[in-house]
Amino acid sequence: MTAESTAQARTGYRERQLVVLDVNGTEHEVLVEPRRTLVDVLRHDLGLTGTHVGCEHGICGACTVLVDGRPARACLMFAAQAEGSAVRTVESLAGPDGELSDLQEAFTRHHALQCGFCTPGFLMLAEGHLAACPRTDKAEIREVVAANLCRCTGYQTIVEAIDDCARQRRNREED
Amino acid sequence: MTTTANPTRGGLTARALPPENLVTAGEVAAREGTAGRPRAADSSAARRAAGSVPSAATGGEAAHPTAVDSGARHHRPAGRLVGASVRRREDPRLLTGRGRFVDDLHPAGVLHAAFVRSTVAHAEVASVDLADVLATPGVVAAFTADDLGLGDISARLARPVEEFVPTDMPILARDRVRFVGEPIAIVIADDAYAVEDGLEAAKVTYRTLPPVVSDTAALAPGAPLVHDNAPANTLVDVAMFATPGIDEVFAGAACVVRVRTKTGRQNALPLETRGAVAEWIDKDGQLVLHTCTQTPHQVRTVAARSLGLDEQAVRVVVPDMGGGFGIKCVVGREEIAVAAAALRLRRPVKWIEDRKDALTASFLAREQRYDARAAFDAEGRILALDADVVCDMGAYSCYPFTAGIEPLMASAEMPSVYRVPAYRVRGRAVTTNKAPTAPYRGVSRPQYVMVVERLFERAARELGLDPVEIRRRNVITEFPYTGVNNITYDPGSYRESLDLCERLVREEGWYEAKAAAAAEGRHLGIGYSCFSERTGYGSAAFAARKMEVVPGFDIAEIRMDTTGAVTVTSGTQNHGQSHETTLAQIVADRLGLDLAKVRLQQGDTDRITYGWGTFASRSVVVGGSAVGRAAAKLADKLLVLGAHLLGTEAGEVELAPGGGVRVRGDHARAVPYTAIAEIAYLKSNLLPEGCEPGLAATASFDVLDDGTFSNATHACVVELHAGTGRVEILRYICVEDCGVAVHPQVVEGQCRGGIAQGIAGALFEQVTYDDNGEPSATSFMDYKVPTALEIPDVAIHHLETPCLFTETGAKGAGEGGTIGAPAAVLNAVNDALAPTGTELDDTPVTPETVRNALANGPRAAAAPTGEEDR
Ligand code: FES
Ligand code: FES
């Protein structure tokens, strides 16, 4: 009844725009359709596949990145909306030699990840929260963690890891 | 192939264990002075005495014993890795965004696929017009079933047609659609946005048929047929056991209780949806299918058949996986369609399921109806169990399990941890116009455990017995125990876990808290569930279900290279369970190697002969034993070659810690593995006569009897809120026994994650359909996945009854949490509701039902439900 289209992919008449993004301190220029989301640009145009997609409708938080330091759902933003902002992804957390940050260390110590699919989202959520509220406590962390979904861990160890990291940061500050 | 006893564990059964050997890690830690017993008991009791009950969700820290120091488990010799919570080797890449999931693969020139799906639940397809789809900018191709001519997915049971009606699932629907979301055509475009544009231009016309949207409608006389060859819409109908005289037992029993319940349809819901990237590689003459499956070889077998290729022309490769929980252990029609499109177009094709399709058109589970009765004597001893189980399996049988997966599991195993002398069951799978079903973590056990545990609670109430006491009088305590269901249960700690769990609840003061709450007019309830879980089903167990394909064994291969490092392949398939760490621990111990010297490879059908993947809590039992045996075989060769180098006999040498061979009693005479590897590969002229070059071994493992049972008791404390109907979980305690825990922290992770999913089923999640068969939960707005505010912290205590036939003494640990939670939660809710006289047996328990139940007031105001016709 149907077969391959004989024509080549008809790509010609899709409108594109040049978007300039600051991601993890590096400037990138991408030519994309206006409807292209930030998460798709990060993952598929810039190759930063650490940011994940679990729902594309703003609930699961797997796509959480920092936009000007604040956690944001990269699936709910068009790439163009991130122009002029500093975007940070999970790829920015470890040291240049791959050394894990204190937050990442806390996650592995507490077994706060199993499949790891939700993990980049939780890391960026926590990174944003700890920067904004260094005096946070466990109850507050639990509320923040409730912004994202994890299907594997039952959340307890994620809360514990973030709380542990927060305490250690405070201790270091006091020293 | 099953060993009857692990020599190091022989004779160490729970029965033989003196009580002091069955201790929690916390207790061991206390004895050794490294960690306290749960600190919670005193402080939280004190707080409650002051009138404030700490909540699990907020500020409940004192109520939660700090997770026990897992490293403190007993029996672990110094230096042994099995039993140690080493750092997970998966973590660094997953934490830094360097994992590689299927949607991270981006071969050059990749095209994107999506599916035209049925918008109606039941219809004949009158026409499919894809002209406008093909005219859409960016669209490259679109194919229907006729275009691709693929073989169907056919799952079979070797049962007579009265017991099993075979049905086939086409890759793309041909002339008939049977659920909303059924794939009709595959559309391929040059990007993921254009393919969505293309879908919108598809024109499908239907001649609609009346839909069948519930099990009761399916079984109603004169119901429309979902499959023309399945009368009464029944795909599986088995009547089992029927102990002679069971009706007389019921007639003469002091107490007969009944539970009728319906459990909601759920989605296993891995956070990563399904997806695949397929590509034809000319150089290898192979179709490479990257797909996030729990069972790569199974996908290869079905894909090759469906595509008409030899299996060697199909290579299935599994990237990192974002969970599975069963939904990815059956073959999906989409992954085959994507493979066919890539073959046809000779270009890479990617399909990533969106969340709406994942919720509505993938595989679902758990929608079951039970009508169960139990007879007890006046002392609360169970005399008989009689159950009718109907499972709504949706539109098709899944491969390889068939629609029998749920009813056969429930029928075979329902007597649970109790000594049930008489048993009768009828188990049915009915087909409806809903998305099909697949195994989901626990498979029927969350449901039947809930039913059995409700029966016990109800009997306790009728007989005026304590609900824990009635269980105590009935749990199996003598092992091995062969039940009325012809299953032999290996040693477990059923009674011990129950006792310890109750003691913990008492010591923490929850009974006083409940009384105090009642005095204030608040509604606290305490619920338990006591259960076991058969783990690591082998060929025998699946054959007993009469599956034509029996996914039982596993094969492991091990190779040592010239640097003395080893590569191990396993047919199991990690998707969050930490196999790269735990299976490597087993091998490292066997060979005395550093963990860093052992690397595990999975998920590539070209590297592994055959394997059955990961499901049914099988990996540590079957896969772990296979890698252990392969390592032992390699060790034999290392000993022969080491002895040769040392100028002695193999009987005179042993493996040396750190990786070498040494002379027994003369440890200074030793050779490192690197020296042995040198003659095995680089200087094979030095090999002893008759010894082949290379250092490799292959071994397999299967469970040829009834397998091994993990067990646990869960306790849950809830408070019901009258205004909102909210069920708040104040406390959750789990006492589990999965034998030797290879990695205790991972076991605890499995428990906690499993419990979260069990709570989700008990209180939150449900896929519902309207009268037309239209699914109502199409996003996370409607399908309520619980968050950190709904899921409580869980205190976990370990008991250890080692498995007698696995290489490590381990039993499976993947599903227990999910199995025990619904019963514990539901029993706690009903305990809190006891003064009202209302009992709730259906799940999920919604705020509305709780609010209504509380509004019903005291017992006198309402008759108990579910017992009116007793
Ligand atoms: S993918 Fe963005 S919130 Fe789920
Ligand atoms: S670790 Fe798997 S979803 Fe969170």
Side-chain angles (χ1 to χ4, degrees), chain B residues 180-194:
Chain B
V180 171
E182 178 153 14
I184 296 172
I186 180 170
V187 177
I188 296 123
D190 63 3
D191 89 355
Y193 291 69

Side-chain angles (χ1 to χ4, degrees), chain A residues 39 52-64 73-76 148, chain B residues 780:
Chain A
V39 75
H52 294 155
V53 175
C55 70
E56 294 177 288
H57 54 259
I59 305 284
C60 77
C63 64
T64 305
R73 306 286 208 224
C75 73
L76 291 185
N148 286 11
Chain B
F780 283 145

Side-chain angles (χ1 to χ4, degrees), chain B residues 180-266:
Chain B
V180 171
E182 178 153 14
I184 296 172
I186 180 170
V187 177
I188 296 123
D190 63 3
D191 89 355
Y193 291 69
V195 80
E196 296 288 334
D197 295 341
L199 289 187
E200 283 179 17
K203 293 196 191 80
V204 182
T205 55
Y206 304 95
R207 278 188 292 276
T208 55
L209 298 166
V212 178
V213 291
S214 72
D215 60 323
T216 44
L219 291 170
L225 293 184
V226 178
H227 292 272
D228 298 338
N229 64 332
N233 291 309
T234 301
L235 298 182
V236 173
D237 189 350
V238 291
M240 288 157 86
F241 309 113
T243 312
I246 189 169
D247 288 318
E248 291 71 52
V249 175
F250 273 101
C255 165
V256 174
V257 288
R258 183 176 185 184
V259 166
R260 283 180 298 175
T261 181
K262 189 166 183 319
T263 58
R265 202 172 192 79
Q266 269 187 278

Side-chain angles (χ1 to χ4, degrees), chain B residues 20-284:
Chain B
E20 66 269 21
N21 277 10
L22 279 166
V23 291
T24 68
E27 284 171 334
V28 171
R31 268 189 226 162
E32 294 172 355
T34 54
R37 282 253 325 115
R39 294 182 264 279
D42 303 334
S43 60
S44 58
R47 266 210 239 173
R48 272 186 302 281
S52 104
V53 176
S55 123
T58 56
E61 213 170 346
H64 298 271
T66 316
V68 289
D69 176 2
S70 308
R73 276 176 97 95
H74 53 311
H75 296 325
R76 186 165 74 84
R80 211 176 105 178
L81 289 165
V82 166
S85 293
V86 300
R87 285 292 177 88
R88 287 212 322 162
R89 306 175 82 196
E90 295 83 349
D91 284 355
R93 70 173 185 276
L94 297 173
L95 285 163
T96 51
R98 301 180 67 85
R100 235 167 179 251
F101 296 87
V102 68
D103 191 27
D104 301 342
L105 305 177
H106 203 81
V110 70
L111 300 171
H112 297 260
F115 291 85
V116 176
R117 294 179 182 277
S118 176
T119 54
V120 297
H122 197 189
E124 285 169 4
V125 179
S127 68
V128 181
D129 177 357
L130 301 178
D132 290 350
V133 175
L134 289 165
T136 305
V139 169
V140 174
F143 302 113
T144 62
D146 288 348
D147 300 324
L148 295 178
L150 298 167
D152 294 353
I153 298 177
S154 309
R156 294 286 184 268
L157 297 177
R159 288 179 183 270
V161 73
E162 315 83 71
E163 290 188 357
F164 173 70
V165 177
T167 54
D168 294 332
M169 179 162 69
I171 303 300
L172 295 172
R174 280 187 286 266
D175 42 8
R176 179 105 166 246
V177 285
R178 294 186 171 87
F179 65 94
V180 171
E182 178 153 14
I184 296 172
I186 180 170
V187 177
I188 296 123
D190 63 3
D191 89 355
Y193 291 69
V195 80
E196 296 288 334
D197 295 341
L199 289 187
E200 283 179 17
K203 293 196 191 80
V204 182
T205 55
Y206 304 95
R207 278 188 292 276
T208 55
L209 298 166
V212 178
V213 291
S214 72
D215 60 323
T216 44
L219 291 170
L225 293 184
V226 178
H227 292 272
D228 298 338
N229 64 332
N233 291 309
T234 301
L235 298 182
V236 173
D237 189 350
V238 291
M240 288 157 86
F241 309 113
T243 312
I246 189 169
D247 288 318
E248 291 71 52
V249 175
F250 273 101
C255 165
V256 174
V257 288
R258 183 176 185 184
V259 166
R260 283 180 298 175
T261 181
K262 189 166 183 319
T263 58
R265 202 172 192 79
Q266 269 187 278
N267 189 303
L269 211 113
L271 199 58
E272 176 201 43
T273 56
R274 298 180 302 151
V277 178
E279 184 175 13
W280 175 262
I281 306 288
D282 280 308
K283 177 185 156 288
D284 299 322

Side-chain angles (χ1 to χ4, degrees), chain A residues 115-131:
Chain A
C115 77
F117 195 78
C118 67
T119 309
F122 278 106
L123 287 169
M124 299 319 286
L125 187 67
E127 186 74 6
H129 177 62
L130 294 183

Side-chain angles (χ1 to χ4, degrees), chain A residues 1-2 5 10-11 13-14 35 37 40 43 54 57 104-105 108-109 111 113-114 142 151-152 155-156, chain B residues 57 88 91 95 103-104 128 134 138 147 190 193 197 355 745 749 752-753 757 765 780 786 788 793-794:
Chain A
M1 158 179 356
T2 59
S5 157
R10 299 171 183 82
T11 50
Y13 29 97
R14 277 179 283 168
R35 62 178 172 174
T37 60
D40 281 346
R43 289 178 46 76
H57 54 259
Q104 291 166 316
E105 274 290 336
T108 183
R109 207 165 49 240
H111 191 28
L113 64 156
Q114 291 181 24
R142 187 172 278 278
R151 193 58 163 175
C152 299
Y155 304 105
Q156 177 176 344
Chain B
R88 287 212 322 162
D91 284 355
L95 285 163
D103 191 27
D104 301 342
V128 181
L134 289 165
D147 300 324
D190 63 3
Y193 291 69
D197 295 341
R355 185 53 66 183
Q745 194 184 39
R752 292 203 169 92
Q757 292 187 11
E765 294 175 6
F780 283 145
D793 284 354
V794 175

